């Protein structure tokens, strides 16, 4: 079991949640937890406690909880909330 907790600045780009470091360099949180969930005996819980400002206004909002197979992701903030 992996528990991934991220708290900080974030952005939503192409319906993917990105964390932002102190220099505002982005890293894909959704991709990171999906990679961990590819291991056959793993189960991953991702909890993202960050704003998710929508950087592309032409995409639909993603859900607050996303469960797919061996991966569960909980978003503390809905899209477009600072």
């Amino acid at each position: 079991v992996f528990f991934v907790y991220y708290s900080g600045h974030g952005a939503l780009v192409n319906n993917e949640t990105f964390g932002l470091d102190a220099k505002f360099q982005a890293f894909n949180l959704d991709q990171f937890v999906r990679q961990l969930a590819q291991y056959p005996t793993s189960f991953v819980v991702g909890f993202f406690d960050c704003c998710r400002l929508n950087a592309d206004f032409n995409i639909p909002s993603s859900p607050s909880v996303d469960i797919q197979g061996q991966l569960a992701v909980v978003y503390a903030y809905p899209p477009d909330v600072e």
Side-chain angles (χ1 to χ4, degrees):
V1 174
F2 292 98
F3 182 79
V4 178
Y5 176 80
Y6 174 76
S7 177
H9 295 290
L12 191 65
V13 178
N14 295 327
N15 218 24
E16 297 273 323
T17 301
F18 285 79
L20 301 171
D21 67 14
K23 295 180 181 180
F24 289 97
Q25 295 178 334
F27 50 95
N28 191 323
L29 293 166
D30 289 324
Q31 182 182 41
F32 176 71
V33 294
R34 280 195 307 271
Q35 287 175 341
L36 287 175
Q38 290 180 356
Y39 293 99
T41 59
S42 71
F43 185 81
V44 180
V45 176
F47 187 89
F48 302 152
D49 186 11
C50 59
C51 58
R52 297 169 61 217
L53 296 178
N54 195 337
D56 181 353
F57 298 105
N58 297 320
I59 60 172
S61 297
S62 62
S64 294
V65 177
D66 186 14
I67 300 174
Q68 298 176 4
Q70 297 170 227
L71 173 64
V73 179
V74 179
Y75 303 99
Y77 292 91
D80 297 324
V81 174
E82 293 186 49

